mmCIF file of all heavy atoms in Angstrom:
data_model
loop_
_atom_site.group_PDB
_atom_site.id
_atom_site.type_symbol
_atom_site.label_atom_id
_atom_site.label_comp_id
_atom_site.label_asym_id
_atom_site.label_seq_id
_atom_site.Cartn_x
_atom_site.Cartn_y
_atom_site.Cartn_z
ATOM 1 N N ILE A 1 -88.741 270.249 224.516
ATOM 2 C CA ILE A 1 -89.988 270.637 225.179
ATOM 3 C C ILE A 1 -90.364 272.051 224.749
ATOM 4 O O ILE A 1 -89.506 272.845 224.348
ATOM 5 C CB ILE A 1 -89.876 270.587 226.720
ATOM 6 C CG1 ILE A 1 -88.708 271.464 227.205
ATOM 7 C CG2 ILE A 1 -89.750 269.161 227.219
ATOM 8 C CD1 ILE A 1 -88.651 271.587 228.722
ATOM 9 N N HIS A 2 -91.645 272.355 224.839
ATOM 10 C CA HIS A 2 -92.144 273.702 224.587
ATOM 11 C C HIS A 2 -92.291 274.430 225.922
ATOM 12 O O HIS A 2 -92.291 273.799 226.982
ATOM 13 C CB HIS A 2 -93.498 273.632 223.864
ATOM 14 C CG HIS A 2 -93.405 273.036 222.498
ATOM 15 N ND1 HIS A 2 -93.891 271.785 222.198
ATOM 16 C CD2 HIS A 2 -92.850 273.518 221.349
ATOM 17 C CE1 HIS A 2 -93.669 271.512 220.926
ATOM 18 N NE2 HIS A 2 -93.039 272.542 220.387
ATOM 19 N N PRO A 3 -92.406 275.755 225.890
ATOM 20 C CA PRO A 3 -92.572 276.513 227.135
ATOM 21 C C PRO A 3 -93.721 275.948 227.974
ATOM 22 O O PRO A 3 -94.813 275.694 227.469
ATOM 23 C CB PRO A 3 -92.870 277.932 226.652
ATOM 24 C CG PRO A 3 -92.175 278.020 225.325
ATOM 25 C CD PRO A 3 -92.323 276.657 224.711
ATOM 26 N N GLY A 4 -93.468 275.761 229.253
ATOM 27 C CA GLY A 4 -94.480 275.231 230.173
ATOM 28 C C GLY A 4 -94.406 273.733 230.351
ATOM 29 O O GLY A 4 -94.888 273.193 231.363
ATOM 30 N N GLU A 5 -93.833 273.034 229.370
ATOM 31 C CA GLU A 5 -93.691 271.583 229.480
ATOM 32 C C GLU A 5 -92.424 271.246 230.270
ATOM 33 O O GLU A 5 -91.563 272.091 230.477
ATOM 34 C CB GLU A 5 -93.636 270.958 228.092
ATOM 35 C CG GLU A 5 -94.889 271.176 227.271
ATOM 36 C CD GLU A 5 -94.744 270.712 225.829
ATOM 37 O OE1 GLU A 5 -93.595 270.530 225.372
ATOM 38 O OE2 GLU A 5 -95.781 270.560 225.145
ATOM 39 N N SER A 6 -92.338 269.995 230.700
ATOM 40 C CA SER A 6 -91.159 269.576 231.461
ATOM 41 C C SER A 6 -90.928 268.089 231.246
ATOM 42 O O SER A 6 -91.748 267.386 230.659
ATOM 43 C CB SER A 6 -91.344 269.878 232.952
ATOM 44 O OG SER A 6 -92.428 269.132 233.485
ATOM 45 N N ILE A 7 -89.787 267.644 231.747
ATOM 46 C CA ILE A 7 -89.417 266.239 231.674
ATOM 47 C C ILE A 7 -89.115 265.741 233.086
ATOM 48 O O ILE A 7 -88.372 266.384 233.832
ATOM 49 C CB ILE A 7 -88.168 266.022 230.779
ATOM 50 C CG1 ILE A 7 -88.443 266.450 229.328
ATOM 51 C CG2 ILE A 7 -87.705 264.569 230.841
ATOM 52 C CD1 ILE A 7 -89.345 265.524 228.545
ATOM 53 N N ARG A 8 -89.709 264.633 233.476
ATOM 54 C CA ARG A 8 -89.306 263.948 234.704
ATOM 55 C C ARG A 8 -88.262 262.906 234.301
ATOM 56 O O ARG A 8 -88.466 262.177 233.322
ATOM 57 C CB ARG A 8 -90.501 263.264 235.370
ATOM 58 C CG ARG A 8 -91.705 264.189 235.609
ATOM 59 C CD ARG A 8 -91.486 265.120 236.785
ATOM 60 N NE ARG A 8 -92.594 266.067 236.896
ATOM 61 C CZ ARG A 8 -93.713 265.852 237.585
ATOM 62 N NH1 ARG A 8 -93.878 264.686 238.186
ATOM 63 N NH2 ARG A 8 -94.643 266.769 237.669
ATOM 64 N N VAL A 9 -87.179 262.857 235.013
ATOM 65 C CA VAL A 9 -86.056 261.998 234.628
ATOM 66 C C VAL A 9 -85.797 260.963 235.721
ATOM 67 O O VAL A 9 -85.656 261.317 236.894
ATOM 68 C CB VAL A 9 -84.781 262.834 234.394
ATOM 69 C CG1 VAL A 9 -83.654 261.945 233.885
ATOM 70 C CG2 VAL A 9 -85.055 263.969 233.410
ATOM 71 N N PHE A 10 -85.713 259.684 235.322
ATOM 72 C CA PHE A 10 -85.574 258.590 236.283
ATOM 73 C C PHE A 10 -84.321 257.763 235.983
ATOM 74 O O PHE A 10 -84.391 256.704 235.354
ATOM 75 C CB PHE A 10 -86.822 257.713 236.240
ATOM 76 C CG PHE A 10 -88.092 258.468 236.519
ATOM 77 C CD1 PHE A 10 -89.005 258.724 235.515
ATOM 78 C CD2 PHE A 10 -88.362 258.931 237.789
ATOM 79 C CE1 PHE A 10 -90.169 259.433 235.767
ATOM 80 C CE2 PHE A 10 -89.521 259.645 238.064
ATOM 81 C CZ PHE A 10 -90.429 259.895 237.052
ATOM 82 N N PRO A 11 -83.156 258.207 236.466
ATOM 83 C CA PRO A 11 -81.913 257.482 236.194
ATOM 84 C C PRO A 11 -81.843 256.091 236.824
ATOM 85 O O PRO A 11 -81.016 255.272 236.420
ATOM 86 C CB PRO A 11 -80.829 258.402 236.793
ATOM 87 C CG PRO A 11 -81.456 259.758 236.813
ATOM 88 C CD PRO A 11 -82.889 259.500 237.120
ATOM 89 N N LEU A 12 -82.695 255.822 237.823
ATOM 90 C CA LEU A 12 -82.689 254.518 238.486
ATOM 91 C C LEU A 12 -83.719 253.559 237.899
ATOM 92 O O LEU A 12 -84.009 252.519 238.500
ATOM 93 C CB LEU A 12 -82.958 254.679 239.991
ATOM 94 C CG LEU A 12 -82.023 255.589 240.782
ATOM 95 C CD1 LEU A 12 -82.423 255.589 242.254
ATOM 96 C CD2 LEU A 12 -80.578 255.170 240.626
ATOM 97 N N SER A 13 -84.266 253.878 236.749
ATOM 98 C CA SER A 13 -85.339 253.068 236.167
ATOM 99 C C SER A 13 -84.996 251.589 236.094
ATOM 100 O O SER A 13 -85.848 250.723 236.352
ATOM 101 C CB SER A 13 -85.689 253.575 234.767
ATOM 102 O OG SER A 13 -86.330 254.821 234.824
ATOM 103 N N ASN A 14 -83.771 251.266 235.735
ATOM 104 C CA ASN A 14 -83.381 249.877 235.507
ATOM 105 C C ASN A 14 -82.819 249.189 236.754
ATOM 106 O O ASN A 14 -82.381 248.047 236.684
ATOM 107 C CB ASN A 14 -82.362 249.801 234.366
ATOM 108 C CG ASN A 14 -82.979 250.223 233.042
ATOM 109 O OD1 ASN A 14 -84.151 249.975 232.780
ATOM 110 N ND2 ASN A 14 -82.199 250.884 232.206
ATOM 111 N N TRP A 15 -82.818 249.892 237.884
ATOM 112 C CA TRP A 15 -82.345 249.320 239.136
ATOM 113 C C TRP A 15 -83.488 248.569 239.822
ATOM 114 O O TRP A 15 -84.664 248.844 239.587
ATOM 115 C CB TRP A 15 -81.842 250.402 240.083
ATOM 116 C CG TRP A 15 -80.665 251.203 239.602
ATOM 117 C CD1 TRP A 15 -80.521 251.829 238.392
ATOM 118 C CD2 TRP A 15 -79.472 251.503 240.339
ATOM 119 N NE1 TRP A 15 -79.326 252.493 238.333
ATOM 120 C CE2 TRP A 15 -78.654 252.312 239.507
ATOM 121 C CE3 TRP A 15 -79.021 251.181 241.612
ATOM 122 C CZ2 TRP A 15 -77.412 252.797 239.930
ATOM 123 C CZ3 TRP A 15 -77.783 251.659 242.038
ATOM 124 C CH2 TRP A 15 -76.994 252.446 241.200
ATOM 125 N N THR A 16 -83.137 247.650 240.695
ATOM 126 C CA THR A 16 -84.114 246.975 241.555
ATOM 127 C C THR A 16 -83.834 247.375 242.996
ATOM 128 O O THR A 16 -82.799 247.973 243.319
ATOM 129 C CB THR A 16 -84.024 245.450 241.430
ATOM 130 O OG1 THR A 16 -82.750 245.026 241.950
ATOM 131 C CG2 THR A 16 -84.168 244.994 239.975
ATOM 132 N N GLU A 17 -84.764 247.012 243.889
ATOM 133 C CA GLU A 17 -84.542 247.287 245.307
ATOM 134 C C GLU A 17 -83.242 246.634 245.780
ATOM 135 O O GLU A 17 -82.478 247.225 246.555
ATOM 136 C CB GLU A 17 -85.722 246.773 246.131
ATOM 137 C CG GLU A 17 -85.595 247.072 247.620
ATOM 138 C CD GLU A 17 -86.706 246.447 248.450
ATOM 139 O OE1 GLU A 17 -87.488 245.631 247.905
ATOM 140 O OE2 GLU A 17 -86.780 246.761 249.651
ATOM 141 N N LEU A 18 -82.983 245.423 245.304
ATOM 142 C CA LEU A 18 -81.762 244.729 245.701
ATOM 143 C C LEU A 18 -80.519 245.435 245.171
ATOM 144 O O LEU A 18 -79.492 245.531 245.869
ATOM 145 C CB LEU A 18 -81.810 243.278 245.208
ATOM 146 C CG LEU A 18 -80.838 242.289 245.855
ATOM 147 C CD1 LEU A 18 -81.000 242.268 247.371
ATOM 148 C CD2 LEU A 18 -81.058 240.894 245.275
ATOM 149 N N ASP A 19 -80.593 245.963 243.936
ATOM 150 C CA ASP A 19 -79.475 246.736 243.390
ATOM 151 C C ASP A 19 -79.178 247.953 244.274
ATOM 152 O O ASP A 19 -78.009 248.275 244.527
ATOM 153 C CB ASP A 19 -79.788 247.224 241.971
ATOM 154 C CG ASP A 19 -79.857 246.102 240.953
ATOM 155 O OD1 ASP A 19 -79.148 245.091 241.118
ATOM 156 O OD2 ASP A 19 -80.644 246.240 239.988
ATOM 157 N N ILE A 20 -80.234 248.627 244.704
ATOM 158 C CA ILE A 20 -80.070 249.813 245.558
ATOM 159 C C ILE A 20 -79.303 249.444 246.825
ATOM 160 O O ILE A 20 -78.347 250.123 247.226
ATOM 161 C CB ILE A 20 -81.434 250.429 245.913
ATOM 162 C CG1 ILE A 20 -82.109 251.034 244.666
ATOM 163 C CG2 ILE A 20 -81.298 251.477 247.023
ATOM 164 C CD1 ILE A 20 -81.432 252.263 244.122
ATOM 165 N N TRP A 21 -79.709 248.347 247.456
ATOM 166 C CA TRP A 21 -79.059 247.948 248.708
ATOM 167 C C TRP A 21 -77.623 247.481 248.481
ATOM 168 O O TRP A 21 -76.735 247.750 249.297
ATOM 169 C CB TRP A 21 -79.880 246.880 249.410
ATOM 170 C CG TRP A 21 -81.020 247.481 250.183
ATOM 171 C CD1 TRP A 21 -82.339 247.486 249.836
ATOM 172 C CD2 TRP A 21 -80.918 248.196 251.415
ATOM 173 N NE1 TRP A 21 -83.076 248.166 250.784
ATOM 174 C CE2 TRP A 21 -82.235 248.608 251.751
ATOM 175 C CE3 TRP A 21 -79.868 248.530 252.263
ATOM 176 C CZ2 TRP A 21 -82.517 249.329 252.915
ATOM 177 C CZ3 TRP A 21 -80.144 249.255 253.421
ATOM 178 C CH2 TRP A 21 -81.447 249.641 253.733
ATOM 179 N N HIS A 22 -77.365 246.781 247.379
ATOM 180 C CA HIS A 22 -75.989 246.386 247.072
ATOM 181 C C HIS A 22 -75.111 247.623 246.842
ATOM 182 O O HIS A 22 -73.940 247.652 247.258
ATOM 183 C CB HIS A 22 -75.956 245.482 245.840
ATOM 184 C CG HIS A 22 -76.250 244.042 246.131
ATOM 185 N ND1 HIS A 22 -75.503 243.292 247.007
ATOM 186 C CD2 HIS A 22 -77.212 243.203 245.644
ATOM 187 C CE1 HIS A 22 -75.984 242.054 247.071
ATOM 188 N NE2 HIS A 22 -77.020 241.979 246.258
ATOM 189 N N TYR A 23 -75.676 248.638 246.186
ATOM 190 C CA TYR A 23 -74.916 249.863 245.934
ATOM 191 C C TYR A 23 -74.644 250.606 247.241
ATOM 192 O O TYR A 23 -73.546 251.146 247.449
ATOM 193 C CB TYR A 23 -75.675 250.760 244.959
ATOM 194 C CG TYR A 23 -74.868 251.929 244.441
ATOM 195 C CD1 TYR A 23 -73.904 251.744 243.457
ATOM 196 C CD2 TYR A 23 -75.062 253.206 244.947
ATOM 197 C CE1 TYR A 23 -73.152 252.814 242.975
ATOM 198 C CE2 TYR A 23 -74.316 254.279 244.478
ATOM 199 C CZ TYR A 23 -73.366 254.079 243.498
ATOM 200 O OH TYR A 23 -72.612 255.140 243.028
ATOM 201 N N ILE A 24 -75.646 250.646 248.111
ATOM 202 C CA ILE A 24 -75.469 251.269 249.432
ATOM 203 C C ILE A 24 -74.345 250.572 250.197
ATOM 204 O O ILE A 24 -73.495 251.221 250.815
ATOM 205 C CB ILE A 24 -76.791 251.217 250.221
ATOM 206 C CG1 ILE A 24 -77.797 252.216 249.625
ATOM 207 C CG2 ILE A 24 -76.570 251.521 251.708
ATOM 208 C CD1 ILE A 24 -79.218 252.025 250.111
ATOM 209 N N GLU A 25 -74.334 249.238 250.132
ATOM 210 C CA GLU A 25 -73.276 248.478 250.810
ATOM 211 C C GLU A 25 -71.916 248.756 250.177
ATOM 212 O O GLU A 25 -70.929 249.023 250.875
ATOM 213 C CB GLU A 25 -73.590 246.987 250.736
ATOM 214 C CG GLU A 25 -72.533 246.120 251.422
ATOM 215 C CD GLU A 25 -72.825 244.637 251.266
ATOM 216 O OE1 GLU A 25 -73.082 244.193 250.132
ATOM 217 O OE2 GLU A 25 -72.781 243.934 252.290
ATOM 218 N N GLN A 26 -71.859 248.703 248.859
ATOM 219 C CA GLN A 26 -70.595 248.898 248.151
ATOM 220 C C GLN A 26 -69.998 250.269 248.411
ATOM 221 O O GLN A 26 -68.780 250.429 248.575
ATOM 222 C CB GLN A 26 -70.824 248.712 246.651
ATOM 223 C CG GLN A 26 -69.630 249.057 245.773
ATOM 224 C CD GLN A 26 -69.968 249.008 244.302
ATOM 225 O OE1 GLN A 26 -70.022 247.926 243.722
ATOM 226 N NE2 GLN A 26 -70.214 250.161 243.679
ATOM 227 N N ASP A 27 -70.867 251.290 248.453
ATOM 228 C CA ASP A 27 -70.387 252.664 248.571
ATOM 229 C C ASP A 27 -70.341 253.155 250.018
ATOM 230 O O ASP A 27 -69.914 254.287 250.260
ATOM 231 C CB ASP A 27 -71.299 253.583 247.744
ATOM 232 C CG ASP A 27 -70.513 254.422 246.757
ATOM 233 O OD1 ASP A 27 -69.611 253.862 246.119
ATOM 234 O OD2 ASP A 27 -70.794 255.633 246.639
ATOM 235 N N GLY A 28 -70.809 252.336 250.954
ATOM 236 C CA GLY A 28 -70.812 252.752 252.356
ATOM 237 C C GLY A 28 -71.696 253.954 252.614
ATOM 238 O O GLY A 28 -71.342 254.859 253.386
ATOM 239 N N ILE A 29 -72.865 253.988 251.982
ATOM 240 C CA ILE A 29 -73.762 255.147 252.080
ATOM 241 C C ILE A 29 -74.536 255.109 253.399
ATOM 242 O O ILE A 29 -75.111 254.088 253.779
ATOM 243 C CB ILE A 29 -74.737 255.175 250.893
ATOM 244 C CG1 ILE A 29 -73.959 255.317 249.579
ATOM 245 C CG2 ILE A 29 -75.746 256.309 251.034
ATOM 246 C CD1 ILE A 29 -74.820 255.204 248.337
ATOM 247 N N ASP A 30 -74.544 256.223 254.090
ATOM 248 C CA ASP A 30 -75.283 256.367 255.342
ATOM 249 C C ASP A 30 -76.772 256.527 255.049
ATOM 250 O O ASP A 30 -77.158 257.149 254.049
ATOM 251 C CB ASP A 30 -74.757 257.601 256.085
ATOM 252 C CG ASP A 30 -75.415 257.779 257.437
ATOM 253 O OD1 ASP A 30 -75.701 256.767 258.094
ATOM 254 O OD2 ASP A 30 -75.643 258.947 257.828
ATOM 255 N N LEU A 31 -77.620 255.962 255.916
ATOM 256 C CA LEU A 31 -79.073 256.027 255.742
ATOM 257 C C LEU A 31 -79.741 256.450 257.045
ATOM 258 O O LEU A 31 -79.165 256.277 258.127
ATOM 259 C CB LEU A 31 -79.631 254.662 255.333
ATOM 260 C CG LEU A 31 -79.265 254.072 253.980
ATOM 261 C CD1 LEU A 31 -79.881 252.686 253.841
ATOM 262 C CD2 LEU A 31 -79.723 254.972 252.852
ATOM 263 N N PRO A 32 -80.976 256.952 256.977
ATOM 264 C CA PRO A 32 -81.735 257.184 258.205
ATOM 265 C C PRO A 32 -81.902 255.882 258.997
ATOM 266 O O PRO A 32 -82.049 254.804 258.405
ATOM 267 C CB PRO A 32 -83.087 257.701 257.688
ATOM 268 C CG PRO A 32 -82.790 258.272 256.344
ATOM 269 C CD PRO A 32 -81.711 257.408 255.779
ATOM 270 N N SER A 33 -81.894 255.985 260.312
ATOM 271 C CA SER A 33 -81.892 254.797 261.165
ATOM 272 C C SER A 33 -83.139 253.937 261.022
ATOM 273 O O SER A 33 -83.112 252.746 261.327
ATOM 274 C CB SER A 33 -81.731 255.220 262.630
ATOM 275 O OG SER A 33 -82.801 256.089 263.019
ATOM 276 N N ILE A 34 -84.247 254.498 260.535
ATOM 277 C CA ILE A 34 -85.494 253.719 260.461
ATOM 278 C C ILE A 34 -85.430 252.609 259.413
ATOM 279 O O ILE A 34 -86.289 251.724 259.396
ATOM 280 C CB ILE A 34 -86.731 254.616 260.190
ATOM 281 C CG1 ILE A 34 -86.623 255.320 258.847
ATOM 282 C CG2 ILE A 34 -86.924 255.615 261.298
ATOM 283 C CD1 ILE A 34 -87.891 256.079 258.478
ATOM 284 N N TYR A 35 -84.407 252.616 258.555
ATOM 285 C CA TYR A 35 -84.250 251.548 257.571
ATOM 286 C C TYR A 35 -83.731 250.249 258.196
ATOM 287 O O TYR A 35 -83.722 249.215 257.538
ATOM 288 C CB TYR A 35 -83.301 251.980 256.451
ATOM 289 C CG TYR A 35 -83.995 252.733 255.340
ATOM 290 C CD1 TYR A 35 -83.755 254.085 255.136
ATOM 291 C CD2 TYR A 35 -84.902 252.091 254.503
ATOM 292 C CE1 TYR A 35 -84.390 254.774 254.113
ATOM 293 C CE2 TYR A 35 -85.545 252.772 253.484
ATOM 294 C CZ TYR A 35 -85.284 254.113 253.295
ATOM 295 O OH TYR A 35 -85.924 254.795 252.285
ATOM 296 N N PHE A 36 -83.322 250.332 259.465
ATOM 297 C CA PHE A 36 -82.770 249.161 260.130
ATOM 298 C C PHE A 36 -83.629 248.771 261.336
ATOM 299 O O PHE A 36 -84.355 249.605 261.890
ATOM 300 C CB PHE A 36 -81.327 249.440 260.551
ATOM 301 C CG PHE A 36 -80.452 249.834 259.394
ATOM 302 C CD1 PHE A 36 -80.137 251.163 259.161
ATOM 303 C CD2 PHE A 36 -79.982 248.867 258.518
ATOM 304 C CE1 PHE A 36 -79.348 251.530 258.074
ATOM 305 C CE2 PHE A 36 -79.196 249.226 257.427
ATOM 306 C CZ PHE A 36 -78.874 250.555 257.203
ATOM 307 N N ALA A 37 -83.542 247.505 261.728
ATOM 308 C CA ALA A 37 -84.410 246.967 262.775
ATOM 309 C C ALA A 37 -84.249 247.731 264.091
ATOM 310 O O ALA A 37 -83.128 248.029 264.525
ATOM 311 C CB ALA A 37 -84.111 245.488 262.977
ATOM 312 N N HIS A 38 -85.383 248.041 264.714
ATOM 313 C CA HIS A 38 -85.414 248.744 265.993
ATOM 314 C C HIS A 38 -86.760 248.469 266.663
ATOM 315 O O HIS A 38 -87.701 248.018 266.022
ATOM 316 C CB HIS A 38 -85.227 250.255 265.779
ATOM 317 C CG HIS A 38 -86.258 250.859 264.872
ATOM 318 N ND1 HIS A 38 -86.227 250.708 263.498
ATOM 319 C CD2 HIS A 38 -87.376 251.601 265.133
ATOM 320 C CE1 HIS A 38 -87.258 251.338 262.959
ATOM 321 N NE2 HIS A 38 -87.981 251.877 263.931
ATOM 322 N N GLU A 39 -86.842 248.738 267.944
ATOM 323 C CA GLU A 39 -88.092 248.546 268.686
ATOM 324 C C GLU A 39 -89.000 249.751 268.478
ATOM 325 O O GLU A 39 -88.558 250.893 268.585
ATOM 326 C CB GLU A 39 -87.803 248.379 270.182
ATOM 327 C CG GLU A 39 -86.890 247.217 270.529
ATOM 328 C CD GLU A 39 -87.591 245.870 270.414
ATOM 329 O OE1 GLU A 39 -88.824 245.839 270.562
ATOM 330 O OE2 GLU A 39 -86.901 244.860 270.178
ATOM 331 N N ARG A 40 -90.286 249.470 268.177
ATOM 332 C CA ARG A 40 -91.230 250.571 267.970
ATOM 333 C C ARG A 40 -92.634 250.123 268.348
ATOM 334 O O ARG A 40 -92.998 248.969 268.109
ATOM 335 C CB ARG A 40 -91.186 251.017 266.497
ATOM 336 C CG ARG A 40 -91.886 252.355 266.233
ATOM 337 C CD ARG A 40 -91.631 252.825 264.804
ATOM 338 N NE ARG A 40 -90.275 253.308 264.604
ATOM 339 C CZ ARG A 40 -89.971 254.548 264.227
ATOM 340 N NH1 ARG A 40 -90.912 255.442 264.045
ATOM 341 N NH2 ARG A 40 -88.714 254.887 264.028
ATOM 342 N N ASP A 41 -93.412 251.027 268.916
ATOM 343 C CA ASP A 41 -94.813 250.732 269.216
ATOM 344 C C ASP A 41 -95.623 250.809 267.934
ATOM 345 O O ASP A 41 -95.579 251.829 267.222
ATOM 346 C CB ASP A 41 -95.380 251.729 270.237
ATOM 347 C CG ASP A 41 -94.809 251.526 271.638
ATOM 348 O OD1 ASP A 41 -94.278 250.428 271.904
ATOM 349 O OD2 ASP A 41 -94.888 252.461 272.452
ATOM 350 N N VAL A 42 -96.365 249.736 267.638
ATOM 351 C CA VAL A 42 -97.115 249.672 266.387
ATOM 352 C C VAL A 42 -98.508 249.114 266.636
ATOM 353 O O VAL A 42 -98.781 248.498 267.675
ATOM 354 C CB VAL A 42 -96.392 248.777 265.349
ATOM 355 C CG1 VAL A 42 -95.029 249.335 265.003
ATOM 356 C CG2 VAL A 42 -96.273 247.345 265.851
ATOM 357 N N VAL A 43 -99.379 249.342 265.653
ATOM 358 C CA VAL A 43 -100.690 248.690 265.627
ATOM 359 C C VAL A 43 -100.803 247.938 264.311
ATOM 360 O O VAL A 43 -100.275 248.381 263.283
ATOM 361 C CB VAL A 43 -101.859 249.700 265.769
ATOM 362 C CG1 VAL A 43 -101.868 250.326 267.146
ATOM 363 C CG2 VAL A 43 -101.794 250.778 264.681
ATOM 364 N N ASP A 44 -101.461 246.791 264.362
ATOM 365 C CA ASP A 44 -101.690 245.987 263.164
ATOM 366 C C ASP A 44 -103.001 246.455 262.550
ATOM 367 O O ASP A 44 -104.078 246.282 263.125
ATOM 368 C CB ASP A 44 -101.763 244.503 263.531
ATOM 369 C CG ASP A 44 -101.806 243.599 262.301
ATOM 370 O OD1 ASP A 44 -102.366 244.030 261.274
ATOM 371 O OD2 ASP A 44 -101.291 242.474 262.380
ATOM 372 N N ARG A 45 -102.902 247.068 261.361
ATOM 373 C CA ARG A 45 -104.076 247.622 260.691
ATOM 374 C C ARG A 45 -104.153 247.037 259.286
ATOM 375 O O ARG A 45 -103.365 247.391 258.418
ATOM 376 C CB ARG A 45 -103.994 249.144 260.657
ATOM 377 C CG ARG A 45 -105.209 249.849 260.094
ATOM 378 C CD ARG A 45 -105.116 251.348 260.336
ATOM 379 N NE ARG A 45 -105.142 251.662 261.760
ATOM 380 C CZ ARG A 45 -104.907 252.881 262.259
ATOM 381 N NH1 ARG A 45 -104.617 253.890 261.442
ATOM 382 N NH2 ARG A 45 -104.963 253.083 263.569
ATOM 383 N N GLY A 46 -105.075 246.098 259.106
ATOM 384 C CA GLY A 46 -105.216 245.468 257.799
ATOM 385 C C GLY A 46 -104.003 244.655 257.412
ATOM 386 O O GLY A 46 -103.663 244.571 256.218
ATOM 387 N N GLY A 47 -103.325 244.075 258.401
ATOM 388 C CA GLY A 47 -102.145 243.280 258.114
ATOM 389 C C GLY A 47 -100.874 244.091 257.941
ATOM 390 O O GLY A 47 -99.824 243.531 257.608
ATOM 391 N N MET A 48 -100.933 245.409 258.159
ATOM 392 C CA MET A 48 -99.766 246.280 258.036
ATOM 393 C C MET A 48 -99.471 246.906 259.391
ATOM 394 O O MET A 48 -100.389 247.268 260.140
ATOM 395 C CB MET A 48 -99.999 247.357 256.976
ATOM 396 C CG MET A 48 -100.322 246.783 255.600
ATOM 397 S SD MET A 48 -100.716 248.043 254.356
ATOM 398 C CE MET A 48 -99.082 248.632 253.954
#
């Protein structure tokens, strides 16, 4: 690179969402609680 330029690096490029979750399971990685089912007040907006 020249001065001022940069590189964005994506080591997970070849992973899938399922790979991520299998790795989390295999390694016993802790996650924020919102990734798991819980009760929450929501509104349906455009199907979301």
Side-chain angles (χ1 to χ4, degrees):
I1 56 173
H2 295 108
E5 298 172 342
S6 63
I7 298 287
R8 307 284 174 89
V9 185
F10 303 109
L12 303 182
S13 290
N14 294 325
W15 298 50
T16 66
E17 182 185 9
L18 197 56
D19 292 329
I20 292 291
W21 279 104
H22 277 301
Y23 190 77
I24 288 167
E25 180 183 49
Q26 173 187 281
D27 234 43
I29 298 174
D30 183 36
L31 294 177
S33 59
I34 62 173
Y35 274 111
F36 303 101
H38 58 284
E39 301 286 334
R40 193 172 287 241
D41 289 341
V42 298
V43 293
D44 188 328
R45 185 170 296 171
M48 302 176 78

